[in-house]
């Protein structure tokens, strides 16, 4: 099959970013009077989730040091619902992979899957919280605020999702995802967040917002009584800064890697236009992509392949790297069983590409509108066919840096390069 030729593109996004992150964390926590709310000797739980947040370990350490400097005794609580196979050891291992260790951060990590019921929602279901977090005198609620891959509304990924789902561990995550079949996340948040904030003795929230380059752009301390008001505003800022693809329609999107460390669904549905349906863009979602093909699963995912079901094609290496139990638990707990369904797999990259390009309609494969990206988190550089350039909005900031060039394969039929040129080993 004659494959399309691809040019290399570099996009330019707004690049607000913090310089001295640790100093800004301390400044923020001090500015809202957090220290005056905490007595010396208080035990303070700090939430840390399972996402690959930029500078995560540095931010956590800064919170720990600030707490210690103000007389508190901090400890870290892995707060990631059912991720990492729903085991305490697995969740601690994820933090360690992110550099969040007791040695680096300077405080204990208390990882457990044990929870307590702390109340009931007006909708009639129990509210769960991590037992270690409840044992603390205070809770520092920390998380990144960004558009969620499945939730739409004023509250998506952020402080309140961490509070209700991350800290709820497996039973909390499961019950909220079940409830979202009948109620919007906003309805649930407004109904129960004040109660849970009070029961967990939340001292302050620390919101993190990143720019399109996967860099820390903003950290902001928010008092618990203001989180419901402030989080939607921070979400709007995160949405404005996020990276995206500039094309309205794509025949085939090739992705070097997907993974839990990159997005809650392995690939960001806000980027691939499949937030409401795994295999097609609905309504005003963009881009509208006919087929998605995946080359690899990140090592940091530890076999959790949630999101592979959004793709139609993949390399056999992806299937071989799946931890079925971890993937099954995450998909069922998040009420997204189709996210773990397996696409057609092929033993070579060439075979996969030829199969995918043979399913795009009447357009010949060599004329396909194709995009090749590293992953959905890193979109500064990627490759695309020249016929897509005319569809880029006139005010979009980009340049063509190379190409067009042919796909290059080794003797086995696998690609010798990645989307940005360097082949990862």
């Amino acid at each position: 099959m004659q494959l399309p030729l691809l040019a290399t593109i570099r996009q330019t996004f707004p690049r607000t970013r913090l310089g001295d992150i640790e100093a800004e964390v301390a400044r923020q926590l001090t500015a809202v009077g957090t220290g005056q709310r905490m007595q010396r000797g208080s035990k303070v739980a700090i939430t840390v989730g399972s996402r690959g947040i930029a500078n995560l370990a540095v931010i956590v350490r800064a919170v720990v040091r600030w707490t210690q400097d103000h007389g508190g005794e901090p400890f870290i609580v892995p707060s990631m619902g059912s991720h990492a196979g729903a085991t305490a050891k697995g969740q601690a291992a994820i933090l360690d992979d992110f550099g969040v260790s007791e040695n680096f951060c300077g405080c204990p990590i208390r990882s457990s899957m044990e929870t307590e019921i702390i109340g009931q929602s007006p909708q009639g279901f129990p509210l769960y919280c991590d037992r270690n977090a409840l044992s603390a005198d205070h809770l520092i609620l920390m998380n990144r605020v960004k558009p969620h891959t499945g939730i739409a509304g004023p509250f998506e990924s952020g402080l309140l999702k961490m509070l209700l789902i991350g800290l709820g561990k497996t039973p909390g995550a499961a019950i909220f995802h079940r409830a979202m079949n009948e109620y919007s996340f906003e309805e649930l948040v407004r109904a129960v967040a004040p109660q849970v904030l009070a029961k967990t003795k939340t001292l302050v929230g620390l919101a993190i917002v990143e720019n399109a380059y996967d860099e820390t752009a903003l950290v902001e301390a928010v008092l618990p009584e203001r989180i419901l008001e402030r989080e939607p505003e921070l979400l709007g800022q995160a949405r404005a800064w996020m990276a995206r693809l500039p094309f309205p329609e794509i025949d085939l999107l090739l992705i070097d890697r997907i993974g839990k460390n990159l997005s809650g669904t392995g690939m960001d549905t806000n980027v691939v236009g499949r937030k409401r349906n795994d295999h097609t863009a609905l309504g005003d979602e963009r881009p509208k992509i006919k087929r998605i093909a995946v080359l690899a699963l990140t090592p940091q995912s530890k076999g959790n392949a949630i999101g592979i079901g959004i793709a139609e094609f993949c390399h056999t290496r992806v299937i071989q790297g799946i931890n079925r139990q971890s993937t099954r638990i995450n998909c069922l707990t998040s009420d997204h069983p189709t996210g773990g369904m397996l696409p057609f797999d092929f033993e070579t990259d060439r075979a996969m590409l030829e199969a995918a390009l043979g399913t795009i309609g009447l357009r010949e494969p060599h004329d396909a509108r194709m995009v090749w990206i590293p992953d959905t988190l890193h979109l500064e550089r990627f490759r695309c066919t020249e016929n897509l350039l005319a569809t880029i909005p006139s005010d979009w900031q980009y340049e063509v840096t190379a190409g067009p060039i042919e796909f290059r394969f080794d003797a086995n039929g696998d690609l010798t390069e990645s989307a940005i040129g360097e082949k990862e080993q």
Side-chain angles (χ1 to χ4, degrees):
M1 179 182 289
Q2 184 181 351
L3 300 179
L5 303 179
L6 300 182
T8 303
I9 307 298
R10 183 186 297 275
Q11 301 191 92
T12 303
F13 300 104
R15 201 163 190 171
T16 300
R17 56 181 166 175
L18 290 177
D20 191 335
I21 295 171
E22 292 185 89
E24 180 64 9
V25 168
R27 190 186 74 80
Q28 285 286 327
L29 292 172
T30 301
V32 296
T34 310
Q36 284 71 48
R37 294 182 168 217
M38 180 180 67
Q39 294 183 340
R40 298 192 70 82
S42 295
K43 292 180 171 52
V44 182
I46 303 168
T47 64
V48 184
S50 58
R51 301 291 186 266
I53 298 172
N55 304 301
L56 178 62
V58 172
I59 294 171
V60 175
R61 183 175 66 180
V63 175
V64 168
R65 288 178 173 176
W66 183 93
T67 303
Q68 292 169 336
D69 289 345
H70 288 76
E73 299 177 9
F75 63 92
I76 293 164
V77 176
S79 307
M80 50 189 80
S82 66
H83 300 173
T87 67
K89 184 177 180 180
Q91 295 200 350
I94 283 184
L95 295 194
D96 191 66
D97 282 349
F98 292 151
V100 180
S101 65
E102 293 186 351
N103 184 55
F104 182 82
C105 295
C107 76
I109 296 175
R110 297 180 184 170
S111 184
S112 170
M113 300 306 293
E114 295 184 2
T115 60
E116 293 182 16
I117 296 176
I118 59 174
Q120 184 165 308
S121 75
Q123 293 81 9
F125 61 85
L127 303 173
Y128 295 89
C129 186
D130 178 274
R131 183 167 291 173
N132 284 322
L134 289 174
S135 73
D137 299 306
H138 297 292
L139 175 72
I140 293 180
L141 190 61
M142 189 186 77
N143 200 21
R144 178 176 57 193
V145 176
K146 69 183 292 290
H148 191 265
T149 55
I151 301 170
F155 304 100
E156 298 189 18
S157 286
L159 299 175
L160 294 171
K161 183 172 180 288
M162 173 69 82
L163 177 75
L164 304 178
I165 296 177
L167 269 177
K169 295 301 176 88
T170 301
I175 199 68
F176 267 96
H177 284 292
R178 286 171 55 197
M180 280 188 274
N181 279 314
E182 301 183 33
Y183 304 93
S184 71
F185 189 52
E186 179 185 5
E187 288 178 286
L188 298 173
V189 164
R190 294 195 184 280
V192 305
Q195 177 186 172
V196 181
L197 286 166
K199 289 290 181 66
T200 56
K201 296 161 285 190
T202 299
L203 181 68
V204 69
L206 188 70
I208 304 162
V209 180
E210 295 178 354
N211 62 26
Y213 297 90
D214 191 27
E215 298 169 332
T216 308
L218 177 154
V219 293
E220 182 174 319
V222 187
L223 293 177
E225 58 267 28
R226 288 201 64 240
I227 292 176
L228 279 163
E229 169 195 353
R230 182 59 178 149
E231 185 165 311
E233 298 170 348
L234 292 169
L235 177 61
Q237 182 62 77
R239 186 175 284 111
W241 280 339
M242 74 176 290
R244 62 188 75 241
L245 294 169
F247 313 111
E249 295 184 8
I250 297 170
D251 292 319
L252 174 62
L253 175 66
L254 178 63
I255 307 177
D256 279 338
R257 54 187 174 263
I258 66 169
K260 195 71 186 178
N261 59 310
L262 301 169
S263 172
T265 51
M267 64 180 85
D268 192 334
T269 57
N270 297 283
V271 170
V272 302
R274 296 185 177 184
K275 186 165 183 170
R276 304 174 200 168
N277 184 289
D278 284 348
H279 293 288
T280 188
L282 298 179
D284 61 354
E285 289 185 305
R286 295 291 185 277
K288 295 186 180 297
I289 301 173
K290 289 182 181 177
R291 300 288 184 257
I292 296 177
V294 174
L295 292 171
L297 185 66
T298 63
Q300 296 90 335
S301 294
K302 299 188 181 299
N304 185 340
I306 188 172
I308 190 60
I310 299 172
E312 287 79 27
F313 299 89
C314 73
H315 194 287
T316 302
R317 71 173 74 91
V318 177
I319 306 299
Q320 293 171 338
I322 294 176
N323 180 317
R324 302 298 177 103
Q325 178 69 357
S326 178
T327 303
R328 182 182 299 117
I329 290 172
N330 195 183
C331 288
L332 292 178
T333 304
S334 62
D335 199 24
H336 187 194
T338 57
M341 292 184 177
L342 301 182
F344 285 126
D345 69 287
F346 297 83
E347 293 187 355
T348 72
D349 295 336
R350 177 182 278 280
M352 181 191 67
L353 286 170
E354 291 186 353
L357 288 167
T359 68
I360 62 172
L362 292 175
R363 191 182 295 270
E364 293 297 326
H366 65 272
D367 287 328
R369 297 167 299 182
M370 182 174 171
V371 178
W372 182 8
I373 63 174
D375 54 63
T376 56
L377 185 60
H378 303 96
L379 297 175
E380 179 188 6
R381 289 192 294 158
F382 62 87
R383 296 184 186 186
C384 74
T385 51
E386 287 192 302
N387 55 10
L388 280 171
L389 299 181
T391 69
I392 298 177
S394 59
D395 61 347
W396 206 268
Q397 300 296 310
Y398 76 98
E399 61 177 327
V400 178
T401 61
I405 60 172
E406 296 180 344
F407 284 98
R408 298 186 178 96
F409 300 93
D410 62 21
N412 295 321
D414 286 325
L415 290 161
T416 60
E417 295 181 326
S418 71
I420 58 176
E422 304 90 6
K423 182 69 172 180
E424 294 187 356
Q425 301 300 317

